[in-house]
Amino acid sequence: MNPSMTYEEFLKNVGNIILTEHGNCPVTPVVQMLQGKWKLQIIYELCIRSPMRFGELKKMLKPITNTMLANALKELEADGLVHRKQYNEIPPRVEYALTEKGTDLLPVFYAISQWGMKYIP
């Protein structure tokens, strides 16, 4: 699929382009990357205020546990959506921020929110 394709071109050709050469829908990897109870909420918090420290995120995402937050952040970092910056200070300080790849998801989230406002009371 051509990344510069317009939405109108996509709609016109959806039957020819929705499958990859392996027969997979190109949306599936994105959904898998964002699945989980906390990932979208973490991205949301990092959109509002970035960078954020682990404790700040935890406070905003009650009742998330340390393990769940750490695992979600590791997965988001591995997928290139979140950047982890560690400072060599005492006590140690670590900050999390969205990467350019993570920020590029914001128009997608906007479109989803528009759909939600239209169809979900």
Side-chain angles (χ1 to χ4, degrees), residues 6-18:
T6 66
Y7 181 67
E8 289 76 22
E9 291 170 325
F10 174 80
L11 286 177
K12 183 179 176 184
N13 298 303
V14 70
N16 298 325
I17 59 172
I18 197 69

Side-chain angles (χ1 to χ4, degrees), residues 66-106:
N66 286 345
T67 302
M68 288 190 293
L69 179 56
N71 288 341
L73 286 167
K74 283 178 190 173
E75 290 172 12
L76 289 167
E77 185 181 10
D79 288 331
L81 300 176
V82 169
H83 174 72
R84 178 183 188 274
K85 184 172 183 178
Q86 183 170 338
Y87 296 88
N88 293 327
E89 299 174 352
I90 303 217
R93 177 170 56 117
V94 177
E95 293 179 339
Y96 296 90
L98 290 179
T99 62
E100 182 178 348
K101 183 178 176 181
T103 304
D104 282 348
L105 278 171
L106 298 184

